[in-house]
CSV table of all heavy atoms in Angstrom, one decimal:
chain,number,residue,atom,x,y,z
A,547,PRO,N,15.0,-9.9,20.6
A,547,PRO,CA,14.2,-9.3,21.7
A,547,PRO,C,13.2,-8.3,21.1
A,547,PRO,O,12.0,-8.2,21.6
A,547,PRO,CB,15.1,-8.7,22.7
A,547,PRO,CG,16.5,-9.4,22.4
A,547,PRO,CD,16.5,-9.7,20.9
A,548,LEU,N,13.7,-7.4,20.2
A,548,LEU,CA,12.8,-6.4,19.6
A,548,LEU,C,11.7,-7.1,18.8
A,548,LEU,O,10.5,-6.8,18.9
A,548,LEU,CB,13.5,-5.5,18.7
A,548,LEU,CG,12.7,-4.4,18.0
A,548,LEU,CD1,12.2,-3.4,19.1
A,548,LEU,CD2,13.4,-3.7,16.9
A,549,LEU,N,12.0,-8.2,18.0
A,549,LEU,CA,11.0,-8.9,17.2
A,549,LEU,C,10.0,-9.5,18.2
A,549,LEU,O,8.8,-9.4,17.9
A,549,LEU,CB,11.7,-10.0,16.4
A,549,LEU,CG,10.8,-10.9,15.6
A,549,LEU,CD1,10.0,-10.1,14.6
A,549,LEU,CD2,11.5,-12.0,14.9
A,550,ALA,N,10.5,-10.1,19.3
A,550,ALA,CA,9.5,-10.7,20.2
A,550,ALA,C,8.6,-9.6,20.8
A,550,ALA,O,7.4,-9.9,20.9
A,550,ALA,CB,10.3,-11.4,21.4
A,551,ALA,N,9.1,-8.4,21.1
A,551,ALA,CA,8.2,-7.4,21.6
A,551,ALA,C,7.2,-6.9,20.6
A,551,ALA,O,6.0,-6.7,20.9
A,551,ALA,CB,9.1,-6.2,22.1
A,552,VAL,N,7.6,-6.9,19.3
A,552,VAL,CA,6.7,-6.5,18.2
A,552,VAL,C,5.6,-7.5,18.1
A,552,VAL,O,4.4,-7.2,17.9
A,552,VAL,CB,7.4,-6.2,16.9
A,552,VAL,CG1,6.4,-6.0,15.8
A,552,VAL,CG2,8.4,-5.0,17.1
A,553,ARG,N,6.0,-8.8,18.1
A,553,ARG,CA,5.0,-9.9,17.9
A,553,ARG,C,4.0,-9.9,19.1
A,553,ARG,O,2.8,-10.1,18.9
A,553,ARG,CB,5.8,-11.2,17.9
A,553,ARG,CG,6.4,-11.5,16.5
A,553,ARG,CD,7.1,-12.8,16.5
A,553,ARG,NE,7.5,-13.2,15.1
A,553,ARG,CZ,8.4,-14.1,14.8
A,553,ARG,NH1,9.0,-14.7,15.7
A,553,ARG,NH2,8.6,-14.3,13.5
A,554,SER,N,4.5,-9.6,20.3
A,554,SER,CA,3.7,-9.6,21.4
A,554,SER,C,2.7,-8.4,21.3
A,554,SER,O,1.5,-8.5,21.6
A,554,SER,CB,4.6,-9.4,22.7
A,554,SER,OG,3.8,-9.1,23.8
A,555,ALA,N,3.2,-7.2,20.9
A,555,ALA,CA,2.3,-6.1,20.7
A,555,ALA,C,1.3,-6.3,19.6
A,555,ALA,O,0.1,-5.9,19.7
A,555,ALA,CB,3.2,-4.8,20.4
A,556,LEU,N,1.7,-7.0,18.6
A,556,LEU,CA,0.8,-7.3,17.5
A,556,LEU,C,-0.4,-8.2,18.0
A,556,LEU,O,-1.5,-8.0,17.7
A,556,LEU,CB,1.5,-8.1,16.4
A,556,LEU,CG,2.0,-7.3,15.2
A,556,LEU,CD1,2.8,-8.2,14.3
A,556,LEU,CD2,0.8,-6.6,14.4
A,557,GLY,N,0.0,-9.2,18.8
A,557,GLY,CA,-1.0,-10.1,19.4
A,557,GLY,C,-2.0,-9.4,20.2
A,557,GLY,O,-3.2,-9.6,20.1
A,558,ARG,N,-1.5,-8.4,21.0
A,558,ARG,CA,-2.4,-7.6,21.9
A,558,ARG,C,-3.3,-6.8,21.0
A,558,ARG,O,-4.5,-6.6,21.3
A,558,ARG,CB,-1.6,-6.7,22.8
A,558,ARG,CG,-1.0,-7.4,24.0
A,558,ARG,CD,-0.5,-6.4,25.0
A,558,ARG,NE,0.4,-5.4,24.6
A,558,ARG,CZ,1.8,-5.6,24.5
A,558,ARG,NH1,2.3,-6.8,24.8
A,558,ARG,NH2,2.6,-4.7,24.1
A,559,ARG,N,-2.8,-6.3,19.9
A,559,ARG,CA,-3.5,-5.3,19.1
A,559,ARG,C,-4.6,-6.0,18.2
A,559,ARG,O,-5.7,-5.6,18.1
A,559,ARG,CB,-2.5,-4.6,18.1
A,559,ARG,CG,-3.2,-3.5,17.4
A,559,ARG,CD,-2.2,-2.8,16.5
A,559,ARG,NE,-2.9,-1.7,15.8
A,559,ARG,CZ,-3.0,-0.5,16.1
A,559,ARG,NH1,-2.3,-0.1,17.2
A,559,ARG,NH2,-3.6,0.4,15.4
A,560,VAL,N,-4.2,-7.2,17.6
A,560,VAL,CA,-5.1,-7.8,16.7
A,560,VAL,C,-6.1,-8.8,17.4
A,560,VAL,O,-7.1,-9.1,16.9
A,560,VAL,CB,-4.4,-8.6,15.6
A,560,VAL,CG1,-3.4,-7.7,14.9
A,560,VAL,CG2,-3.7,-9.8,16.1
A,561,GLY,N,-5.7,-9.2,18.6
A,561,GLY,CA,-6.6,-10.2,19.3
A,561,GLY,C,-8.0,-9.8,19.4
A,561,GLY,O,-8.9,-10.5,19.0
A,562,PRO,N,-8.4,-8.5,19.8
A,562,PRO,CA,-9.8,-8.1,19.9
A,562,PRO,C,-10.4,-7.7,18.6
A,562,PRO,O,-11.6,-7.3,18.6
A,562,PRO,CB,-9.7,-6.9,20.9
A,562,PRO,CG,-8.3,-6.7,21.3
A,562,PRO,CD,-7.5,-7.5,20.3
A,563,VAL,N,-9.7,-7.8,17.5
A,563,VAL,CA,-10.3,-7.3,16.2
A,563,VAL,C,-10.5,-8.5,15.2
A,563,VAL,O,-9.5,-9.0,14.7
A,563,VAL,CB,-9.3,-6.3,15.6
A,563,VAL,CG1,-9.9,-5.7,14.3
A,563,VAL,CG2,-9.0,-5.2,16.6
A,564,PRO,N,-11.7,-9.0,15.1
A,564,PRO,CA,-12.0,-10.2,14.2
A,564,PRO,C,-11.4,-10.0,12.8
A,564,PRO,O,-11.0,-11.0,12.2
A,564,PRO,CB,-13.5,-10.3,14.2
A,564,PRO,CG,-13.9,-9.6,15.5
A,564,PRO,CD,-13.0,-8.5,15.7
A,565,LEU,N,-11.4,-8.8,12.3
A,565,LEU,CA,-10.9,-8.6,10.9
A,565,LEU,C,-9.4,-8.9,10.9
A,565,LEU,O,-8.9,-9.4,9.8
A,565,LEU,CB,-11.1,-7.1,10.6
A,565,LEU,CG,-10.4,-6.6,9.3
A,565,LEU,CD1,-11.3,-7.0,8.1
A,565,LEU,CD2,-10.3,-5.0,9.4
A,566,LEU,N,-8.6,-8.6,11.9
A,566,LEU,CA,-7.2,-8.7,11.9
A,566,LEU,C,-6.6,-10.1,12.4
A,566,LEU,O,-5.6,-10.5,11.9
A,566,LEU,CB,-6.6,-7.6,12.8
A,566,LEU,CG,-6.9,-6.2,12.3
A,566,LEU,CD1,-6.3,-5.1,13.3
A,566,LEU,CD2,-6.3,-5.9,10.9
A,567,GLY,N,-7.3,-10.7,13.3
A,567,GLY,CA,-6.8,-12.0,13.8
A,567,GLY,C,-6.5,-13.0,12.8
A,567,GLY,O,-5.3,-13.5,12.8
A,568,PRO,N,-7.4,-13.3,11.8
A,568,PRO,CA,-7.1,-14.3,10.8
A,568,PRO,C,-5.9,-14.0,9.9
A,568,PRO,O,-5.4,-14.8,9.2
A,568,PRO,CB,-8.4,-14.4,10.0
A,568,PRO,CG,-9.4,-13.8,10.9
A,568,PRO,CD,-8.7,-12.7,11.7
A,569,LEU,N,-5.4,-12.7,9.9
A,569,LEU,CA,-4.3,-12.4,9.1
A,569,LEU,C,-3.0,-12.9,9.6
A,569,LEU,O,-2.0,-12.9,8.8
A,569,LEU,CB,-4.2,-10.8,8.9
A,569,LEU,CG,-5.4,-10.1,8.3
A,569,LEU,CD1,-5.1,-8.6,8.2
A,569,LEU,CD2,-5.7,-10.7,6.9
A,570,ASP,N,-3.0,-13.4,10.8
A,570,ASP,CA,-1.8,-14.2,11.3
A,570,ASP,C,-0.5,-13.3,11.2
A,570,ASP,O,0.6,-13.8,10.9
A,570,ASP,CB,-1.6,-15.4,10.3
A,570,ASP,CG,-0.8,-16.5,11.0
A,570,ASP,OD1,-0.7,-16.5,12.2
A,570,ASP,OD2,-0.3,-17.4,10.3
A,571,LEU,N,-0.7,-12.1,11.6
A,571,LEU,CA,0.4,-11.1,11.4
A,571,LEU,C,1.7,-11.5,12.3
A,571,LEU,O,2.8,-11.3,11.8
A,571,LEU,CB,-0.1,-9.7,11.7
A,571,LEU,CG,-1.0,-9.2,10.6
A,571,LEU,CD1,-1.6,-7.8,11.0
A,571,LEU,CD2,-0.3,-9.1,9.3
A,572,PRO,N,1.5,-11.9,13.6
A,572,PRO,CA,2.7,-12.1,14.3
A,572,PRO,C,3.7,-13.1,13.6
A,572,PRO,O,4.9,-12.9,13.6
A,572,PRO,CB,2.2,-12.7,15.7
A,572,PRO,CG,0.9,-12.1,15.8
A,572,PRO,CD,0.3,-12.0,14.4
A,573,ARG,N,3.1,-14.1,12.9
A,573,ARG,CA,3.9,-15.1,12.3
A,573,ARG,C,4.6,-14.5,11.0
A,573,ARG,O,5.6,-15.0,10.5
A,573,ARG,CB,3.1,-16.3,11.9
A,573,ARG,CG,3.9,-17.6,11.7
A,573,ARG,CD,3.0,-18.7,11.1
A,573,ARG,NE,2.3,-18.2,9.9
A,573,ARG,CZ,2.9,-17.9,8.7
A,573,ARG,NH1,4.1,-18.2,8.5
A,573,ARG,NH2,2.2,-17.4,7.7
A,574,ARG,N,3.9,-13.5,10.4
A,574,ARG,CA,4.4,-13.0,9.1
A,574,ARG,C,5.5,-12.0,9.3
A,574,ARG,O,6.1,-11.5,8.3
A,574,ARG,CB,3.2,-12.4,8.3
A,574,ARG,CG,2.3,-13.6,7.8
A,574,ARG,CD,0.9,-13.0,7.4
A,574,ARG,NE,1.0,-12.2,6.2
A,574,ARG,CZ,-0.1,-11.5,5.8
A,574,ARG,NH1,-1.2,-11.5,6.5
A,574,ARG,NH2,0.0,-10.8,4.7
A,575,VAL,N,5.8,-11.6,10.5
A,575,VAL,CA,6.8,-10.6,10.8
A,575,VAL,C,8.1,-11.3,11.1
A,575,VAL,O,8.1,-12.2,11.9
A,575,VAL,CB,6.5,-9.6,12.0
A,575,VAL,CG1,7.6,-8.6,12.2
A,575,VAL,CG2,5.2,-9.0,11.7
A,576,ARG,N,9.2,-10.9,10.4
A,576,ARG,CA,10.5,-11.5,10.7
A,576,ARG,C,11.6,-10.4,10.7
A,576,ARG,O,11.4,-9.3,10.3
A,576,ARG,CB,10.9,-12.5,9.6
A,576,ARG,CG,9.9,-13.5,9.2
A,576,ARG,CD,10.6,-14.4,8.1
A,576,ARG,NE,9.6,-15.2,7.4
A,576,ARG,CZ,9.8,-15.8,6.3
A,576,ARG,NH1,11.1,-15.9,5.8
A,576,ARG,NH2,8.9,-16.5,5.6
A,577,LEU,N,12.8,-10.8,11.1
A,577,LEU,CA,13.9,-9.8,11.0
A,577,LEU,C,14.5,-10.0,9.6
A,577,LEU,O,14.5,-11.1,9.0
A,577,LEU,CB,15.0,-10.2,12.1
A,577,LEU,CG,14.6,-9.9,13.5
A,577,LEU,CD1,15.7,-10.5,14.5
A,577,LEU,CD2,14.4,-8.4,13.8
A,578,VAL,N,15.1,-8.9,9.1
A,578,VAL,CA,15.7,-9.0,7.8
A,578,VAL,C,17.0,-10.0,7.9
A,578,VAL,O,17.6,-10.0,8.9
A,578,VAL,CB,16.2,-7.6,7.4
A,578,VAL,CG1,17.3,-7.1,8.2
A,578,VAL,CG2,16.4,-7.5,5.9
A,579,PRO,N,17.3,-10.7,6.8
A,579,PRO,CA,18.4,-11.6,6.9
A,579,PRO,C,19.7,-10.8,7.2
A,579,PRO,O,19.9,-9.8,6.6
A,579,PRO,CB,18.5,-12.3,5.5
A,579,PRO,CG,17.1,-12.1,4.9
A,579,PRO,CD,16.5,-10.8,5.6
A,580,ASP,N,20.5,-11.3,8.1
A,580,ASP,CA,21.8,-10.6,8.4
A,580,ASP,C,23.0,-11.3,8.0
A,580,ASP,O,24.1,-11.0,8.4
A,580,ASP,CB,21.8,-10.2,9.9
A,580,ASP,CG,21.9,-11.4,10.8
A,580,ASP,OD1,21.8,-12.6,10.2
A,580,ASP,OD2,21.9,-11.3,12.0
A,581,THR,N,22.9,-12.3,7.1
A,581,THR,CA,24.0,-13.1,6.7
A,581,THR,C,24.8,-12.4,5.6
A,581,THR,O,25.9,-12.7,5.3
A,581,THR,CB,23.6,-14.5,6.2
A,581,THR,OG1,22.5,-14.3,5.3
A,581,THR,CG2,23.1,-15.3,7.4
A,582,VAL,N,24.1,-11.5,4.9
A,582,VAL,CA,24.8,-10.7,3.8
A,582,VAL,C,24.3,-9.3,4.0
A,582,VAL,O,23.2,-9.0,4.6
A,582,VAL,CB,24.4,-11.2,2.4
A,582,VAL,CG1,24.9,-12.6,2.1
A,582,VAL,CG2,23.0,-11.0,2.1
A,583,PRO,N,25.1,-8.3,3.5
A,583,PRO,CA,24.6,-6.9,3.5
A,583,PRO,C,23.5,-6.8,2.4
A,583,PRO,O,23.8,-6.6,1.2
A,583,PRO,CB,25.8,-6.1,3.2
A,583,PRO,CG,26.8,-7.0,2.6
A,583,PRO,CD,26.4,-8.4,2.9
Side-chain angles (χ1 to χ4, degrees):
Chain A
L548 181 70
L549 177 63
V552 172
R553 285 181 166 160
S554 169
L556 265 173
R558 287 194 300 276
R559 189 182 178 93
V560 306
V563 183
L565 171 80
L566 297 176
L569 298 181
D570 201 16
L571 292 173
R573 202 193 51 75
R574 290 163 69 189
V575 180
R576 308 183 199 170
L577 293 172
V578 73
D580 61 358
T581 50
V582 299

